[in-house]
């Protein structure tokens, strides 16, 4: 794991706190689950030019998401979790159904 990818910087937003995503630039992010929270996370990290591997067990959901995202973005979608891919990640978001 890259130390600069741990997201240790927090910002106060609307009375709460939020991770500063600037610390995730050039990191490899895994998103497990592409429901509402997973999609919101995906969209947030797309702005930061991160490398994203996104999994969802619903192949139709993946196809629908692919239609809405710029093909130039650095995203790999899969319905199967490959342990080799997971070991290469700097940060993982788990967003179950």
């Amino acid at each position: 794991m890259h130390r600069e990818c741990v997201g240790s910087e927090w910002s106060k937003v609307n009375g709460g706190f939020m991770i500063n995503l600037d610390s995730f630039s050039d990191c490899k992010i895994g998103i497990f689950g592409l429901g509402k929270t997973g999609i919101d996370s995906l969209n947030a990290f797309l702005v930061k030019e991160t490398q994203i591997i996104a999994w969802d067990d619903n192949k139709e959901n993946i196809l629908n998401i692919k239609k809405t995202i710029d093909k130039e973005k650095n995203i790999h979608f899969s319905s199967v979790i490959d342990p080799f891919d997971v070991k290469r990640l700097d940060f993982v978001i788990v967003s179950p159904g």
Side-chain angles (χ1 to χ4, degrees):
M1 178 182 298
H2 298 59
R3 289 219 177 260
E4 66 270 14
C5 294
V6 296
S8 59
E9 297 178 27
W10 292 80
S11 302
K12 191 166 186 169
V13 178
N14 295 330
F17 290 91
M18 182 175 224
I19 294 174
N20 183 348
L21 296 180
D22 291 336
S23 62
F24 290 95
S25 293
D26 299 320
C27 294
K28 294 179 184 125
I29 307 296
I31 301 174
F32 292 89
L34 295 172
K36 184 176 179 344
T37 303
I39 295 295
D40 288 346
S41 298
L42 177 69
N43 288 326
F45 283 111
L46 283 176
V47 174
K48 297 299 173 188
E49 299 300 321
T50 55
Q51 297 176 37
I52 300 170
I53 299 176
W55 293 272
D56 197 283
D57 57 358
N58 183 334
K59 291 180 183 180
E60 187 176 322
N61 195 25
I62 291 172
L63 292 173
N64 289 334
I65 294 164
K66 280 182 163 182
K67 292 176 188 174
T68 65
I69 293 177
D70 183 359
K71 292 181 184 358
E72 300 294 317
K73 297 294 184 179
N74 195 4
I75 305 171
H76 172 75
F77 291 96
S78 181
S79 60
V80 178
I81 297 172
D82 182 343
F84 178 75
D85 287 337
V86 176
K87 289 180 183 179
R88 298 181 310 157
L89 298 173
D90 298 307
F91 192 79
V92 174
I93 296 169
V94 180
S95 174

